[in-house]
Amino acid sequence: MTIELRFVVNRGAFSLDVDLEIPSRGVTALFGPSGCGKTTLLRAIAGLEQSEEGYLSVAGTVWQDRHQFLAPHKRPLGYLFQEPSLFSHLTVRGNLEYGLKRLKSALHKVSLDQAVELLGIGQLLDRRPDQLSGGEQQRVAIARALAVSPELLLLDEPLAALDLARKQEILPYLESLHRELEIPLLYVSHSRDEVARLADHLVLLRAGRVEASGSVTALFSRLDLALAHEPDTGTVVEAVVGGYDESFELTHLNFSGGCFIVAGGPHPEGSRVRLQVLARDVSLTLERQTGTSILNIFAATVDEVVAEGGAQVTVRTLIGEVALLARITRKSAVELGLKVGKKVYLQVKSVALLS
Amino acid sequence: MMVSEQDLTALWITFRLAALTTVILLLIGTPLAWWLARSRWRYKFLLEAVVALPLVLPPTVLGFYLLIALGPHGPVGGLMERLGGQPLAFTFSGLVIGSVVYSLPFVVQPLQGAFAALGRRPLEVAATLRASPLDRFLTVAVPLARPGFLTATVLGFAHTLGEFGVVLMVGGNIPGSTQVISIAIYDHVETLEYTQAHWISGGLLLLSFILLMGVYALNHRFSLVQR
């Protein structure tokens, strides 16, 4: 089951022209610099934006094509705007019930209680929106969008207007949304971190066109995309919690190419986690180092080497199927004689556990 | 007796006129203001200028044209006659029509401002929460524009109370039928009945002040609640 969409929008100097097929489950991130058309695309999907040409089908049902246009209020979706945009004339409960009341009861899949509990807003129901903090307001807005039991949840940079502390407050709720509900999420973001933490599928937008579309792990390690050439470039690795070394307080995380050892834990064994390895934290050696403090060392093959301009190069390496990027100096690359197919050892200085 | 029976009748006519005019203006003005606030039509400014005309036009000019339009040979009055009715000049109905035109900007402009201040966002949110266009107008736009409605109602009412030139031209100052309180005051002054003029004028001054004070106090409270 997929979401198929094709939109052409012309707004003077800006034009959007996309033709996409994305999975209708999990989290798909629309990622790109501001002004690339992410929000316009999301609004077109919601029916809020006029388009010169539009086609949209979600899991086999056509919402829009040349002959029909489902009005925004008839599309079974939830929309979370950048600002919470709560109705100031209603209480939190009134806000939550606004959409729920307009939904046929046969379509109630997410109950109000479930939404309230998931977002932890039980204490706030009788307050008015102006009595809530920014983070609380956005949690209410998420619950309000969920309460209409959407078949597709659209999120337009829901964290952009919040400070770092508020972001940390909301992110776990978004992650639990992802885990506990079967609703596909389409998430607009310009933050690498959010995408690395939340997204399964990634669509890169640039100047109104699709640059690439694929899994997060695949796209984050592709050297032909701008994503791999930023200062904080890194790769995302899916892993499963293996064991816990109680004496040293270390957790073992198994992935298809081996096992990462990270500090902290214990985490529930068998749970799926996501790791981020920054390219600047990976160094290369030709022989396996002994007598080193680095715990995570993997045998790998050089897959691609791309100059960054200046003193740096980015090396794409493969540990079996899993790609990791390393950012090293051009001098090192020359001295090590790096070329495609060469066997190397990766030394990973630090690993971030994302979820 | 400081205030004569005729004055009381004029007062009653004035209040009926102001109330009816305000109700009609809210009914006409709400959709008009909504359209003016939301439309992107290129020549919208033409209609905005027409709505604002009564603000700057001498009431006698407005009254003169209305008199001609509503009289037996005018387009409106003539039509009324052909339909078997009577011309509207010098009748209470004529006064209502004149007042509606005269007070139009005082109702439309506060509403237009309030609707424009909402922006599109609350309505878009309501749309994604399954509310149809009419539903979101009634359950989101109207409640959020509440201060605008209050201002429009009070300004429309109070402005009609104080009308003089238009009603004199269109209504013709017929006691018991089209004589309103502002003209009654004028008549008292003309005949040097200053005591009566004082009583009525003072009463109107106080009433207008209380109405406006109420609007500003309430809107201040609303604005505190809303943002």
Side-chain angles (χ1 to χ4, degrees):
Chain A
M1 280 302 182
T2 58
I3 299 167
E4 285 173 58
L5 56 94
R6 189 169 63 244
F7 284 106
V8 177
V9 177
N10 287 312
R11 291 278 179 283
F14 171 78
S15 80
L16 179 79
D17 186 346
V18 295
D19 190 347
L20 267 176
E21 191 172 321
I22 52 182
S24 66
R25 49 174 304 143
V27 179
T28 298
L30 297 173
F31 182 79
S34 43
C36 72
K38 305 180 297 266
T39 298
T40 307
L41 178 55
L42 211 61
R43 290 173 57 83
I45 292 171
L48 297 172
E49 199 77 29
Q50 297 275 324
S51 54
E52 272 69 32
E53 201 185 312
Y55 176 85
L56 173 63
S57 83
V58 178
T61 313
V62 176
W63 290 6
Q64 182 178 345
D65 61 17
R66 201 170 302 172
H67 309 291
Q68 56 172 331
F69 179 88
L70 210 55
H73 67 278
K74 292 190 174 147
R75 300 190 179 199
L77 50 78
Y79 199 120
L80 197 63
F81 292 86
Q82 227 175 78
E83 318 82 46
S85 310
L86 298 180
F87 297 131
S88 57
H89 63 296
L90 299 174
T91 60
V92 168
R93 189 190 300 278
N95 269 279
L96 294 175
E97 285 172 348
Y98 188 90
L100 194 67
K101 278 193 295 201
R102 286 163 174 78
L103 195 69
K104 288 199 198 84
S105 52
L107 298 173
H108 286 193
K109 282 179 222 145
V110 182
S111 74
L112 195 61
D113 293 343
Q114 201 182 349
V116 166
E117 194 191 336
L118 198 61
L119 276 306
I121 51 173
Q123 312 296 315
L124 310 176
L125 290 178
D126 296 316
R127 303 244 204 111
R128 298 191 72 88
D130 60 343
Q131 296 169 318
L132 306 180
S133 72
E136 287 170 337
Q137 287 189 25
Q138 196 57 293
R139 270 152 62 192
V140 173
I142 297 172
R144 181 175 67 175
L146 280 180
V148 292
S149 305
E151 285 173 28
L152 171 65
L153 187 56
L154 308 174
L155 302 102
D156 186 4
E157 306 207 38
L159 303 180
L162 302 174
D163 58 38
L164 195 64
R166 295 286 89 71
K167 276 184 190 156
Q168 298 302 338
E169 173 193 333
I170 303 280
L171 261 171
Y173 291 107
L174 290 178
E175 282 170 348
S176 63
L177 220 69
H178 175 25
R179 276 195 305 271
E180 292 183 27
L181 302 170
E182 296 266 293
I183 303 169
L185 264 59
L186 200 52
Y187 189 102
V188 161
S189 179
H190 68 253
S191 149
R192 279 185 64 96
D193 269 2
E194 279 170 42
V195 172
R197 277 185 73 159
L198 290 172
D200 306 308
H201 192 89
L202 181 58
V203 175
L204 297 179
L205 283 179
R206 182 168 293 269
R209 305 290 183 275
V210 175
E211 201 181 14
S213 169
S215 78
V216 167
T217 45
L219 260 50
F220 267 45
S221 63
R222 261 175 59 179
L223 291 186
D224 59 327
L225 301 173
L227 211 53
H229 303 290
E230 287 164 17
D232 57 348
T233 288
T235 29
V236 172
V237 180
E238 307 269 2
V240 176
V241 176
Y244 180 61
D245 178 349
E246 221 165 297
S247 51
F248 288 112
E249 299 178 44
L250 293 172
T251 301
H252 294 243
L253 304 168
N254 298 318
F255 71 108
S256 67
C259 171
F260 277 108
I261 299 167
V262 300
H267 302 283
E269 212 171 305
S271 61
R272 306 187 62 82
V273 292
R274 194 172 263 205
L275 306 168
Q276 178 161 252
V277 179
L278 295 184
R280 59 164 186 261
D281 290 336
V282 179
S283 57
L284 302 178
T285 57
L286 291 181
E287 278 138 45
R288 182 182 275 276
Q289 293 287 300
T290 51
T292 167
S293 64
I294 289 175
L295 291 174
N296 294 302
I297 300 179
F298 306 98
T301 331
V302 173
D303 185 54
E304 201 178 351
V305 183
V306 173
E308 289 294 330
Q312 310 247 287
V313 296
T314 303
V315 185
R316 180 184 149 101
T317 63
L318 290 173
I319 313 167
E321 300 277 280
V322 176
L324 282 189
L325 299 183
R327 174 86 34 93
I328 60 174
T329 59
R330 196 151 42 87
K331 178 179 161 71
S332 307
V334 170
E335 287 181 358
L336 293 176
L338 292 187
K339 58 177 191 292
V340 176
K342 193 170 179 76
K343 303 278 178 215
V344 290
Y345 288 92
L346 301 183
Q347 304 197 123
V348 181
K349 204 165 69 187
S350 108
V351 180
L353 194 59
L354 295 176
S355 52
Chain B
M1 187 72 183
M2 293 302 156
V3 181
S4 70
E5 186 131 340
Q6 193 184 321
D7 289 336
L8 283 177
T9 310
L11 202 59
W12 171 236
I13 289 172
T14 308
F15 275 104
R16 265 201 315 154
L17 178 65
L20 199 58
T21 301
T22 309
V23 170
I24 293 172
L25 273 178
L26 284 174
L27 290 177
I28 303 173
T30 304
L32 179 60
W34 180 249
W35 183 83
L36 286 174
R38 312 257 310 168
S39 168
R40 289 185 190 161
W41 185 47
R42 198 201 301 194
Y43 299 107
K44 188 173 80 172
F45 65 90
L46 288 175
L47 209 73
E48 286 180 300
V50 170
V51 169
L53 263 184
L55 286 176
V56 292
L57 220 51
T60 42
V61 173
L62 202 63
F64 173 65
Y65 284 120
L66 279 168
L67 182 64
I68 289 182
L70 300 178
H73 305 297
V76 182
L79 182 73
M80 287 300 291
E81 240 179 11
R82 275 199 297 283
L83 292 175
Q86 50 175 359
L88 294 165
F90 311 119
T91 64
F92 183 74
S93 306
L95 277 194
V96 174
I97 294 175
S99 305
V100 164
V101 175
Y102 180 59
S103 295
L104 185 69
F106 290 83
V107 172
V108 170
Q109 290 190 346
L111 289 180
Q112 186 184 343
F115 287 143
L118 290 184
R120 286 174 182 262
R121 181 52 53 79
L123 295 149
E124 288 181 346
V125 171
T128 66
L129 294 172
R130 312 289 182 270
S132 68
L134 181 65
D135 187 0
R136 38 191 201 256
F137 174 73
L138 293 175
T139 59
V140 175
V142 170
L144 286 177
R146 193 173 44 178
F149 274 96
L150 184 70
T151 308
T153 305
V154 172
L155 285 188
F157 187 84
H159 188 245
T160 309
L161 279 189
E163 174 178 6
F164 183 85
V166 174
V167 285
L168 191 60
M169 298 290 278
V170 176
N173 195 16
I174 304 166
S177 160
T178 62
Q179 190 189 53
V180 296
I181 199 69
S182 57
I183 305 177
I185 295 171
Y186 180 78
D187 286 348
H188 283 307
V189 176
E190 282 279 274
T191 50
L192 299 176
E193 296 164 340
Y194 274 38
T195 318
Q196 284 90 333
H198 261 305
W199 274 99
I200 306 173
S201 299
L204 280 184
L205 178 69
L206 195 66
L207 178 71
S208 302
F209 176 70
I210 290 171
L211 279 176
L212 290 177
M213 192 180 63
V215 171
Y216 285 116
L218 276 173
N219 273 354
H220 184 59
R221 221 192 67 208
F222 283 149
S223 67
L224 278 184
V225 171
Q226 290 199 327
R227 221 163 285 277

